[in-house]
Amino acid sequence: MFKLKKRVVMASILSMALLGGSGYYYMHERMIDTVEIHALYARGFTNIQEMKDYADIVIVGTPTQNFMDSNHVLKTSSSGDILDFFTKRDFKIEKVIKDSNSKVKPDEVVSFIEPASILQTPIGKQKLVTEGYEELEKNVKYVIFLKKNSKQEYSMFYGNLSSYDLDGASPQKIDSSSPAEHNGKKTEFKKQVHELLNTAN
């Protein structure tokens, strides 16, 4: 009788542990929402040529990893306030449109900072993005405009206007809460990007 009771108790403990573990896994993996944070850019641009002139590199290629599998960085103050957030993405270069220092080449992988990240909360994952931004998708071809920051890391410098999907796989979302330039300029800038690519060929 004692052995039977012991087995029942052990089975109950195991069941509770499994339920607790699965509940934790669900909460840990669950994406609850996306939070858009207002962005202040150092300068604005009226056309793609201005962005090209300002950028350190302009490249065509594809992300090598999914956004969720990339290196998410979240910097907070001692009181828990968010100071900065971004994700480090690896990007395989197919073509170089501009390179100020002649240091990046086709078939190489370059790392850069994307203005989005993942925050783990007690009830699931929360995606943080600068307003209107949509993260790059793995294996989709993009043109991206990058500039080195103060730490000499390549970074997107103009939010959603820093990247252009060439495969048509991720159509731009129009967000009424975003600045008009990040909705109105996107379509016009994308036309100019195609002109830029044709000129570079």
Side-chain angles (χ1 to χ4, degrees):
M1 181 66 71
F2 174 76
K3 289 183 179 179
L4 179 59
K5 286 183 178 179
K6 185 175 181 180
R7 286 177 184 171
V8 171
V9 171
M10 291 300 294
S12 298
I13 292 173
L14 180 60
S15 296
M16 290 173 65
L18 288 172
L19 286 172
S22 62
Y24 172 79
Y25 178 81
Y26 172 74
M27 290 302 182
H28 188 73
E29 294 301 316
R30 177 177 174 238
M31 181 64 72
I32 50 176
D33 60 7
T34 298
V35 176
E36 295 194 356
I37 296 175
H38 179 64
L40 292 175
Y41 298 108
R43 56 175 293 179
F45 301 90
T46 60
N47 56 59
I48 282 295
Q49 186 60 48
E50 288 182 2
M51 286 186 63
K52 180 186 175 185
D53 293 342
Y54 182 74
D56 287 324
I57 61 174
V58 181
I59 51 180
V60 177
T62 56
T64 61
Q65 287 183 306
N66 290 316
F67 173 75
M68 294 299 293
D69 298 329
S70 299
N71 181 15
H72 306 292
V73 178
L74 188 69
K75 297 182 179 181
T76 59
S77 67
S78 56
S79 60
D81 295 328
I82 295 175
L83 301 176
D84 195 11
F85 64 91
F86 54 85
T87 295
K88 293 185 177 179
R89 301 297 298 272
D90 288 338
F91 191 85
K92 186 172 183 180
I93 301 171
E94 179 180 308
K95 183 176 183 179
V96 179
I97 305 299
K98 176 190 176 181
D99 179 10
S100 300
N101 300 310
S102 300
K103 291 185 178 180
V104 295
K105 297 177 175 60
D107 295 325
E108 290 184 349
V109 174
V110 65
S111 178
F112 65 88
I113 289 174
E114 185 176 29
S117 192
I118 297 295
L119 171 65
Q120 181 64 54
T121 76
I123 60 171
K125 294 179 183 295
Q126 189 174 61
K127 183 163 63 178
L128 305 175
V129 300
T130 58
E131 52 196 339
Y133 185 78
E134 293 181 27
E135 69 273 12
L136 305 187
E137 297 181 23
K138 180 183 178 181
N139 295 330
V140 173
K141 188 186 295 186
Y142 296 90
V143 177
I144 57 174
F145 295 73
L146 303 172
K147 192 169 185 68
K148 284 189 174 180
N149 60 21
S150 59
K151 295 183 179 180
Q152 296 302 297
E153 299 171 306
Y154 286 118
S155 177
M156 290 180 159
F157 57 85
Y158 204 30
N160 226 22
L161 295 172
S162 297
S163 67
Y164 297 85
D165 167 18
L166 298 181
D167 291 338
S170 52
Q172 170 65 15
K173 175 185 68 175
I174 300 301
D175 186 348
S176 60
S177 67
S178 297
E181 63 179 359
H182 284 265
N183 286 329
K185 282 185 179 179
K186 187 74 175 186
T187 301
E188 180 58 34
F189 275 29
K190 190 166 186 177
K191 293 178 184 177
Q192 295 175 24
V193 163
H194 285 287
E195 293 172 3
L196 178 65
L197 291 175
N198 291 332
T199 303
N201 287 335

